[in-house]
């Protein structure tokens, strides 16, 4: 009906129906879903190519890097001839001020630079980082949050800069610039003509990224060709989509897992036997098969599958009610007879279903599970209060900021003075030592580090500090006309538009 | 000693004129004095809105007069102790114009009549029941009416209920605020008969309010004519009807259509003078066919022109009779 | 008219008092609950220092009354605070989202006025006949139907089954990419019309029909019922009987005399429903992915963005209060009974 | 002694309602839902599923003889859950309206009857409450109290009572001028006794009408709150919540969101129709605007 | 004898109510002549208003009407609504009891008057001039100001004058006045009465005056009909009715008036209560309360028959002259 208009002379355009909006486009602060946009406008010194398992760290704005033996000094050599969107050239000073700004503002993912003591622009194309303690700086520099390099057009006043970015301005080196920004619901990106990799070959030249919260709407959009790529559809719809000739379902590890943190300080669950028992009572298979329709796998320990530090042969609890009963008897509760509480985030479909299924299983052990749906705020407020008054089990997801096991192992189970995310309230100094040492070795002796990480993981699994439920897949759905689309697990849900192209 | 005496009683209201208008002073009752003896009936006539009900409310202490004093058996109400006031409340009762609105539609006759009794006395059930039956009998009803609702009775019967409620506390004065004007002529007669009977039986005093001079004349010993918050004439009823003095009283009489074609009187052609500028002074000035300069300047006072017959009118007192 | 001024001043003072209370209540609400705005501000994975810094920046370390005074001071300066998520001024956000909401709300209420008055007066004239009963069911249905469910049903029917209307959003992707609407008023339909962007106009009209229709059901029901009952009442008034008895033309009686009397309360009802929909349309907006104030509110609720929630509450209330004020004055003007008494 | 005699108004009302087919129909629906919700555990096909027991292997079965309304995303019988949901919705309606009436009516009557300062203070307070867009206010309230059915009910009650205060006050102001009130005052009956003995029974009619209509508004409002996740929480079979959960399955498994919504619609419609008839019969003049979900 | 302008013959009206069929009017018969003021008197609820509404054909929908109402030679009851619209306002008009509710409060007096004028006589070119003329005819001096007033800016008496002026716009031959003065105070009542007489004289209009005020009848009317509970029991010239009363009900009514009686005298009353229209007594409706009733009264409805050539009575045992 309205096809009579002429499509402008573009090689290729693409519509990406994304699940949420992009609240803050300041690359130094953005910490939610903005990478979906930012990764196409900005670039980092290093690119993390997750599909290249052996050597994921790929030179990008930096062509090479090196570090001192003690791991306290890192030098990056910059690529020459890279232009910012305002036309100025990428220089060491920009790198320095970009990262310094991130650190100075201290918002979002700024803490990844925690080890950095000083940044020196050695010459126009060399940047040197001096660290307080050893850290894997190349990995950090490839982070999808807080590592974007901004150019000199960024306003010098930090707060004004934030406002500037949120008006839809940008100062990156990436292949796209914002053409139109309608906060909260969509962004139109257009190609940056002087992108350093050039525009010869097949590339998408104009992109519409819409935030479509409603999964039904995303499904309909992809079916009707209103969107070329989308993601995160209810698994129940995927069956139907598989038969659809026009679309392709791409599933990649997401580095995101679903955990059920068990309170080690509350009545009942302070007993490791009970923790193990309820770990055996979880219907892992039912969740993977029925709820997720196999678009996820049961976790093995805290590090998700596909990621650095994941071990496929780590111990794993299985659904085994016999074993659970046995453990309960050992703990002195052969017939259960107590109540546990579980909190989950309101509006989260998966958490809700998991909670309801788990409730039914625990019932069989004589344990009542009281499910509380709470907003994130309320959930965290409860969890960060007195552990002995808090929930028994807390469902939530974890995913890495930059690709290191330390991110999981530290945040989830490291001793904390004030509870932030260790909702197991697990305080174990041996464990703490293991991961702290591993972290410092990561940049210099990866193998040794991995070994320590493994030991630490075995410890928390043994102690049943959490239900290790699912390692999630990112399920992207793309029109078959979209070519060259290979999601990169290190950049959550990002579509690198420059890499793909769409048949007209 | 008069039973009740009112001295210079006034009641003023402020009322907003229109939605955005200014406040305006309404003198609902203005500086009136009268007294009533035990066992007599005082008739109060006047057109709608002249302040009859307001005066009644002042007497009942439902509202406080703006100024002036009301004496009950020689004692000032405003200086009475609460016990004496209780006594006063029992002694003065009221019967309203419309029996349907003066009885709570959701109460049975029993509850309506027992309300005054149980409010003032501790009384057991059987005593109450005998008392109720007695009261009903006095007003010409019987116990079959007790469990009915007001809407199940006729207007006349309801008015009898209202009267029963009023006499339940053995009052000395009953104020009758147009007790028959909502009733049919034939029913009106029965109520008037009942009132006369009760007065004889219990030596009651009445203040009988009406705008029907004919009815007032029939029942009253003494009549007050009221206009716009003021008394314009008062005196013994035969006097007032026989020899009306105030132009307003005369007009009331003339305008009152007597059902007697023999006396068919042509209505006086009281030409309305264009008196818009005639303000101040006498309240009746705007409608008065005999207005004089003097009337404009000063408010006439009540003057006793015959024995017990007062009038407030310059024209009557000293005017030249045209 | 001097007294009109006093009346106006009084009403405005009352409105200000109300607004003051709303602000205070919302402030209290946001401070009694166990919450950690700083946490939201810095994001879920922040360090302790980041948090400290945010607490200072948000003024959360100050005594509560200072925070309260600050809050007021800012409000007076038109500063509703900053969104915790987006770090943008809430007022700016609200103004960005407002046009989309206004567009459907205005359309829905215009539709409601037309349909409601037509239905209502027809129904009153045909009182107790079949048409009256049908209209009555429809209008009562209009106020009884859960809008969120009705929205889904219309999607199911008009998109899913019949396929004649788009599922949601304000424009198709293609239009967004290739025939974007140049924003002038923020009303897409109007902007498209002004700029002569016919393709976009057609597209935006197709998109607005379902949500506006769903949003209109409630006021349609409201207005229909109001007009009907007022008309029935008015038609029983003595002045209508008098007019009939003295040979006034039927058209005059029904469409001038009766309708004008019936219309004022209907307009009042509609005005309130309009003021209300500005924030009350959120269920419909969410379902139709309509990028308006309602969607913004729901997002804010889901994300616990409390400055945003409070901002919308305060904005919505001010809007509501002033429409109320306006309606009261309008009513006083329209109805000589009130004006002159 | 206290023979049950219905007042004239009641009799007329009953008669008129009997003649009004729509009113009878809506009364029938209301009664049906009330009975069904009282006996829910005994009449539903799968009581445990009604309360939330998942049956993962039976997910998304379309309506059939076994599951007349189909099954949901956890294989539960939708019919059973809808019937269980009736309990919640009716309870919410009754709770919210009753609390609102219990708070609002006495305040309104007292303000209206005594007038003066009492009136000024009470009515300014209600004015303030009435000037909030009620649903928005309720949302802000629940958002801070924390989501949950009880909090939702409390929030709705808090936003609702001023309507009753205003209504009751208007009633009181007219009724207190009635001669029968004056008569009682003359007799010497005390203020509060008059308020509750004379004013209350006579002021009740429009309040009942309003209450009936508000049952439906309250049910709708609560369903709306649950729909956006601020009301009842899973696995509660609350209707709004069920529609909300089922929403994403609308186009493929329509029965799951459609039936609970239909139930809300029916109940709300029934109460509104009934209230509408009552109003037509009793009280053509009372009117109220606002309150949309 | 000239043809009467209106002749009501055996008019029966009943209403279907939810309590049953209410037989409100029973065999109501009377005539109104040219340039005559005919009064219909009776107590509350006896059916005066229903009679008036039957004549102008504005009874509510739940009514059943039988009989004949001949107006200008046509049976009103057989006219279609569209024809009736041509009758109302033009040859027959009506004013109501309560002037304050007769005028639409939302419109200025002048606008309502002009609308009436254009409705009743589309040929009038300058409705405003005609309107001002009418206003001055009903006694206004400051017509321009009245024209631009809203009804509630006028007093009751002024409102009633305006109402009368509206009903005069079509120069009707019959003016029905349903208790036009009940709501007004005595002084104003007198003025309105005078105005009606004046209207009768200047417009040659017959007036059907409905009232329960016997006094007004005595003052103003040529002929009177007395109604009791849906039946017209006696019709006659005013004088005859008062001094040569034939019907026991009329007699009872007159005697129970307190005028001319002395205090302490017991007023004669009519015993018994009004019956219910749902189950009216068969035969003469007054017989249960009538001191003169005998058996035949309960069987047949007495027809209204002439006793003298102008005096009609519906009674099997009418009073003789000296009673
Ligand atoms: N509460 C009040 N506030 C303001 N004005 C009042 C109030 N009560 C009475 N008035 C005014 O006082 C005047 C006298 O009223 P009142 O009721 O006493 O008259 P009335 O003679 O009893 O009239 P009616 O014959 O209609 O009963 C009227 O103008 C009325 O408007
Ligand atoms: N629409 C109606 N439906 C049922 N009954 C009616 C209707 N209209 C009038 N009546 C009844 O008809 C009877 C006569 O009423 P009508 O109004 O003619 O009395 P009226 O003589 O005019 O009395 P009033 O002096 O009070 O005006 C009354 O008993 C009344 O209840
Ligand atoms: Mg009075
Ligand atoms: Mg009448």
């Amino acid at each position: 009906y309205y096809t009579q208009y002429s499509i402008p002379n573009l090689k290729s355009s693409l519509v990406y129906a994304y699940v949420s909006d992009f609240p803050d486009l300041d690359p130094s602060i953005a910490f939610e879903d903005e990478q979906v946009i930012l990764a196409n406008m900005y670039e980092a010194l290093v690119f993390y190519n997750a599909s290249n398992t052996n050597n994921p760290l790929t030179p990008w704005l930096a062509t090479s890097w090196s570090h001192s033996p003690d791991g306290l000094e890192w030098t990056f050599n910059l690529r020459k001839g890279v232009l910012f969107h305002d036309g100025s050239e990428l220089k060491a000073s920009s790198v320095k001020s970009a990262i310094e700004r991130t650190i100075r503002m201290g918002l979002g993912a700024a803490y990844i630079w925690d080890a950095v003591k000083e940044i020196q622009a050695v010459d126009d194309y060399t940047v040197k980082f001096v660290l307080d303690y050893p850290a894997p700086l190349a990995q950090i520099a490839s982070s999808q949050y807080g590592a974007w390099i901004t150019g000199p057009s960024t306003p010098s006043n930090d707060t004004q800069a934030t406002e500037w970015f949120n008006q839809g301005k940008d100062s990156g080196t990436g292949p796209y610039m914002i053409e139109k920004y309608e906060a909260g619901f969509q962004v139109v990106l257009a190609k940056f003509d002087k992108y350093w990799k050039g525009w010869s070959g097949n590339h998408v030249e104009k992109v519409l990224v819409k935030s479509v919260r409603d999964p039904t709407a995303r499904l309909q959009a992809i079916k009707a060709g209103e969107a070329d790529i989308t993601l995160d559809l209810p698994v129940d719809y995927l069956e139907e989509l598989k038969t659809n000739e026009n679309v392709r379902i791409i599933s990649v590890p997401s580095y995101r897992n679903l955990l059920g943190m068990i309170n080690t300080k509350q009545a009942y669950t302070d007993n490791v036997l009970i923790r193990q028992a309820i770990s055996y009572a979880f219907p892992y298979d039912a969740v993977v098969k029925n709820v997720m329709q196999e678009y996820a796998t049961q976790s093995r320990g805290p590090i998700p599958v596909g990621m650095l530090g994941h071990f496929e042969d780590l111990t794993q609890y299985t659904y085994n009610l016999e074993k659970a009963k046995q453990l309960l008897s050992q703990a002195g509760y052969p017939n259960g007879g107590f109540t546990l509480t579980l909190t989950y985030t309101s509006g989260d479909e998966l958490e809700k279903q998991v909670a309801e299924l788990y409730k039914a299983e625990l019932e069989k052990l004589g344990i009542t599970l009281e499910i509380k749906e709470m907003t994130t705020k309320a959930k965290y407020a409860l969890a960060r209060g007195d552990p002995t008054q808090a929930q028994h089990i807390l469902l939530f997801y974890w995913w890495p900021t930059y690709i290191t096991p330390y991110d999981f192992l530290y945040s989830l189970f490291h001793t904390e003075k004030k509870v932030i995310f260790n909702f197991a309230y697990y305080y174990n100094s041996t464990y703490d030592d293991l991961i702290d040492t591993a972290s410092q070795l990561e940049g210099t002796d990866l193998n040794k580090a991995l070994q320590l990480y493994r030991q630490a993981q075995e410890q928390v699994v043994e102690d049943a500090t959490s239900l290790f439920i699912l390692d999630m897949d990112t399920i992207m759905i793309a029109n078959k006309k979209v070519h060259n689309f290979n999601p990169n697990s290190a950049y959550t849900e990002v579509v690198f538009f420059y890499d793909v192209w769409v048949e007209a | 000693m008069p039973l009740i005496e009112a001295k210079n009683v006034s009641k003023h209201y402020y009322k907003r004129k229109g939605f955005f208008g200014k406040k305006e002073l309404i003198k609902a009752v203005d500086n009136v004095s009268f007294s009533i003896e035990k066992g007599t009936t005082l008739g109060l006539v006047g057109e709608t809105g002249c302040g009859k009900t307001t005066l009644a409310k002042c007497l009942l202490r439902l509202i406080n007069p703006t100024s002036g004093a009301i004496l009950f058996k020689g004692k000032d109400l405003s200086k009475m102790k609460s016990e004496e006031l209780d006594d006063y409340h029992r002694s003065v009762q009221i019967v309203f114009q419309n029996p349907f609105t003066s009885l709570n539609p959701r109460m049975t006759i029993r509850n309506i009549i027992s309300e005054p009794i149980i409010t003032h006395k501790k009384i057991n059930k059987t005593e109450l029941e005998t008392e109720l039956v007695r009261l009903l009998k006095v007003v010409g009803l019987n116990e079959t009416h007790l469990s009915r609702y007001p809407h199940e009775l006729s207007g006349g019967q309801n008015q009898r209920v209202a009267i029963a409620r009023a006499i339940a506390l053995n009052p000395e004065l009953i104020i009758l605020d147009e007790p028959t004007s909502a009733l049919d002529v034939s029913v009106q007669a029965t109520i008037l008969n009942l009132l006369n009977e009760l007065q004889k039986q219990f030596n009651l005093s009445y203040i009988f309010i009406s705008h029907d001079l004919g009815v007032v004349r029939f029942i009253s010993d003494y009549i007050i004519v009221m206009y716009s918050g003021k008394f314009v004439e008062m005196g013994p009823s035969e006097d007032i009807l026989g020899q009306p003095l105030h132009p307003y009283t005369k007009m009331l009489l003339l305008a009152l259509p007597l059902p007697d074609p023999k006396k068919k009187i042509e209505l006086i052609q009281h030409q309305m003078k264009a008196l818009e500028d005639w303000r101040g002074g006498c309240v009746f000035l705007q409608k008065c066919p005999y207005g004089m300069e003097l009337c404009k300047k000063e408010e006439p006072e009540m003057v006793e022109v015959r024995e017990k017959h007062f009038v407030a009118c310059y024209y009557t007192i000293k005017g030249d009779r045209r | 008219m001097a007294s009109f001024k006093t009346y106006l001043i009084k009403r405005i003072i009352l409105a200000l008092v109300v607004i003051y209370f709303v602000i205070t209540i919302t402030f209290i609400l946001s401070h009694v609950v166990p919450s950690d705005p700083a946490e939201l501000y810095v994001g879920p994975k922040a360090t302790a220092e980041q948090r400290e810094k945010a607490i200072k920046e948000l003024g959360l370390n100050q005594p509560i009354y200072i925070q309260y005074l600050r809050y007021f001071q800012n409000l007076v300066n038109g500063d509703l605070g900053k969104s915790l998520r987006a770090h943008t001024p809430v007022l700016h956000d609200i103004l960005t989202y407002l046009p989309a909401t206004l567009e459907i709300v205005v359309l829905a209420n215009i539709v409601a006025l037309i349909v409601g008055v037509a239905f209502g007066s027809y129904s009153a004239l045909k009182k107790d006949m079949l048409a009256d009963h049908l209209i009555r069911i429809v209008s009562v249905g209009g106020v009884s139907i859960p809008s969120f469910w009705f929205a889904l049903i219309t999607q199911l029917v008009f998109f899913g089954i019949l396929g004649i209307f788009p599922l949601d959003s304000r424009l198709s992707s293609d239009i967004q990419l290739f025939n974007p609407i140049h924003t002038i008023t923020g009303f897409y339909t109007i902007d498209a019309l002004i700029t002569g962007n016919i393709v976009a106009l057609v597209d935006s009209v197709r998109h607005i029909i379902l949500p506006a229709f769903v949003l209109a059901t409630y006021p349609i029901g409201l207005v229909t019922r109001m007009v009907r009952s007022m008309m029935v009442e008015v038609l029983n008034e003595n002045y209508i009987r008098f007019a009939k008895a003295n040979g006034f033309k039927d058209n005059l009686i029904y469409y001038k005399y009766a309708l004008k009397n019936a219309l004022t309360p209907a307009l009042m009802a509609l005005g309130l429903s309009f003021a209300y929909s500005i924030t009350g349309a959120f269920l419909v907006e969410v379902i139709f992915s309509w990028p308006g104030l309602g969607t913004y509110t729901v997002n804010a609720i889901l994300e616990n963005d409390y400055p945003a929630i409070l901002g919308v509450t305060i904005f919505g209330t001010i809007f509501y209060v002033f429409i109320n004020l306006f309606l009261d004055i309008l009513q006083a003007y329209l109805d000589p009974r009130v004006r002159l008494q | 002694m206290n023979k049950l005699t219905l007042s004239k108004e009641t009799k007329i009302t009953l008669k008129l309602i009997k003649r009004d087919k729509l009113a009878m129909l809506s009364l029938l629906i209301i009664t049906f839902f009330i009975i069904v919700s009282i006996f829910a555990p005994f009449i539903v096909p799968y009581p445990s599923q009604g309360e939330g027991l998942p049956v993962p292997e039976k997910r998304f079965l379309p309506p059939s003889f076994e599951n007349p309304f189909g099954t949901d995303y956890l294989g539960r019988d939708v019919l059973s859950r809808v019937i269980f949901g009736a309990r919640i919705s009716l309870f919410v309606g009754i709770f919210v309206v009753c609390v609102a009436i219990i708070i609002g009516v006495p305040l309104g009557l007292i303000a209206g009857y005594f007038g003066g300062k009492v009136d000024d203070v009470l009515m300014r307070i209600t004015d303030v409450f009435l000037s909030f867009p009620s649903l928005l206010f309720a949302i802000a309230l629940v958002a801070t109290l924390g989501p949950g059915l009880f909090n939702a009910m409390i929030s709705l009650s808090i936003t609702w009572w001023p309507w009753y205060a205003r209504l009751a006050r208007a009633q009181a102001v007219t009724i207190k001028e009635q001669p029968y009130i004056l008569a009682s005052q003359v007799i010497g009956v005390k203020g509060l006794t008059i308020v509750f003995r004379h004013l209350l029974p006579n002021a009740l009619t429009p309040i009942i009408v309003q209450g009936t209509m508000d049952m439906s508004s309250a049910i709708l409002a609560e369903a709306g709150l649950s729909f956006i996740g601020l009301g009842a929480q899973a696995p509660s079979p609350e209707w709004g919540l069920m529609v909300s959960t089922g929403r994403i399955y609308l186009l493929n498994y329509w029965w799951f969101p459609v039936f609970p919504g239909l139930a809300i619609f029916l109940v709300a419609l029934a109460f509104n129709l009934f209230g509408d008839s009552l109003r037509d019969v009793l009280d053509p003049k009372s009117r109220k605007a606002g309150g949309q979900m | 004898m000239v043809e009467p302008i209106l002749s009501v013959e055996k008019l029966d009206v009943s209403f279907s109510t939810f309590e049953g069929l209410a037989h409100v009017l029973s065999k109501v018969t009377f005539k109104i002549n040219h340039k005559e003021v005919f009064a219909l008197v009776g107590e509350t609820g006896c059916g005066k208003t229903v009679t008036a509404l039957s004549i102008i054909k504005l009874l509510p929908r739940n009514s059943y009407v039988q009989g004949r109402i001949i107006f200008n030679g046509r049976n009103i009851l057989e006219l279609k609504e569209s024809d009736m619209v041509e009758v109302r306002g033009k040859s027959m008009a009506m004013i109501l009891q309560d002037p304050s509710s007769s005028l639409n409060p939302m419109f200025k007096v002048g606008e309502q008057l002009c609308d009436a004028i254009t409705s009743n006589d589309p040929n009038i070119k300058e409705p405003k001039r005609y309107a001002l003329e009418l206003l001055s005819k009903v006694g206004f001096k400051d017509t321009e100001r009245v024209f631009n007033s809203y009804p509630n800016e006028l007093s009751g008496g002024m409102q009633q004058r305006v109402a009368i002026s509206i009903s005069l716009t079509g120069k009707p031959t019959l003016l029905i006045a349903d208790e036009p003065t009940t709501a007004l105070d005595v002084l104003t009542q007198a003025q309105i009465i005078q105005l009606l007489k004046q209207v009768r004289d200047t417009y040659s209009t017959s007036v059907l005056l409905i009232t329960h005020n016997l006094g007004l009848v005595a003052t103003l009317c040529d002929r009177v009909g007395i109604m009791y509970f849906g039946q017209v029991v006696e019709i006659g010239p005013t004088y005859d009715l008062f001094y040569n009363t034939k019907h026991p009900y009329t007699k009872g009514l007159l005697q129970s008036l307190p005028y001319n009686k002395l205090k302490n005298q017991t007023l004669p009353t009519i015993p018994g209560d009004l019956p219910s229209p749902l189950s009216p007594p068969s035969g003469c409706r007054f017989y249960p309360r009538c001191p003169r009733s005998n058996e035949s009264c309960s069987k047949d409805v007495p027809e209204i028959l002439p006793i003298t050539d102008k005096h009609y009575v519906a009674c099997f045992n009418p009073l003789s002259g000296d009673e």
Side-chain angles (χ1 to χ4, degrees), chain E residues 174-189:
Chain E
L174 175 65
L175 178 63
I176 304 172
D178 188 1
E179 313 206 20
T181 61
T182 313
L184 306 172
D185 69 276
V186 222
L187 292 175
T188 324
Q189 275 192 20

Side-chain angles (χ1 to χ4, degrees), chain A residues 220 236-237 240 356 373, chain D residues 59 76 233 248 251-252:
Chain A
Q220 296 310 323
D236 299 282
Y237 282 168
E240 180 207 339
E356 288 182 45
E373 176 174 358
Chain D
R59 307 168 86 232
R76 298 174 295 208
Q233 306 293 314
I248 55 170
L251 294 173
N252 292 35

Side-chain angles (χ1 to χ4, degrees), chain B residues 13 15 28 47-54 178:
Chain B
Y13 288 110
K15 199 174 179 185
E47 66 179 3
T48 304
C50 73
K52 306 182 294 289
T53 303
T54 307
E178 317 201 22

Side-chain angles (χ1 to χ4, degrees), chain D residues 161-202:
Chain D
W161 69 264
W163 289 108
Y164 288 93
R166 182 185 261 192
L167 192 62
R169 178 182 177 275
Q171 284 291 39
V173 166
T174 46
I175 294 172
K176 82 170 180 188
E177 298 297 330
Q178 291 290 316
Y180 61 82
I181 301 290
L182 294 181
S184 295
Q185 288 170 337
V186 170
I187 285 163
V189 185
K190 294 282 171 314
L192 277 181
T193 317
I194 291 184
V195 167
F196 290 103
R197 189 190 289 165
H198 295 282
L199 277 187
L200 185 61
N202 286 293

Side-chain angles (χ1 to χ4, degrees), chain C residues 127-185:
Chain C
K127 187 166 183 287
D128 292 329
M129 298 193 200
L130 185 66
D132 177 33
H133 290 308
L134 289 180
I135 290 177
R136 201 176 136 210
I137 295 180
V138 169
S139 62
V140 176
V143 297
S144 308
I145 204 159
S147 60
F148 56 90
W149 180 73
F150 189 48
L152 293 179
I153 298 294
T154 55
Q155 286 186 332
L156 182 63
V157 173
F158 293 102
F159 171 78
I161 298 171
L162 301 176
I164 46 178
F165 288 120
L167 183 74
D168 62 359
S169 84
R170 269 180 111 181
L171 275 182
S172 307
S173 303
D174 291 356
I175 303 290
Q176 301 273 20
L177 272 175
F178 306 122
N179 289 56
I181 292 175
H182 182 64
T183 311
I184 300 167
T185 59

Side-chain angles (χ1 to χ4, degrees), chain C residues 56-75:
Chain C
K56 264 199 204 123
E57 207 176 307
L58 296 173
L60 294 169
N61 54 342
Q62 276 160 334
I64 191 96
Y65 69 91
I66 301 262
Q67 292 187 38
Y68 180 63
L69 290 178
R70 253 256 202 107
Y71 191 62
F72 253 96
Q73 195 185 355
N74 291 342
L75 280 175

Side-chain angles (χ1 to χ4, degrees), chain C residues 252-306:
Chain C
L252 276 178
I253 294 179
Y254 296 136
Y255 300 113
K256 179 172 173 186
Y257 284 48
L259 201 57
K260 183 167 178 196
N261 287 274
L263 218 52
T264 324
L267 266 180
M268 297 302 126
L270 198 71
L272 286 186
S273 118
F274 170 75
Y276 194 86
S277 323
I278 292 299
T279 47
F282 59 89
L283 289 173
V284 177
E285 284 188 9
V286 165
I287 288 171
F288 285 102
S289 311
W290 197 261
L293 214 48
T295 308
Y296 179 72
T297 316
V298 172
N299 289 350
I301 291 171
L302 293 178
E303 312 278 351
N304 289 303
D305 191 346
Y306 91 92

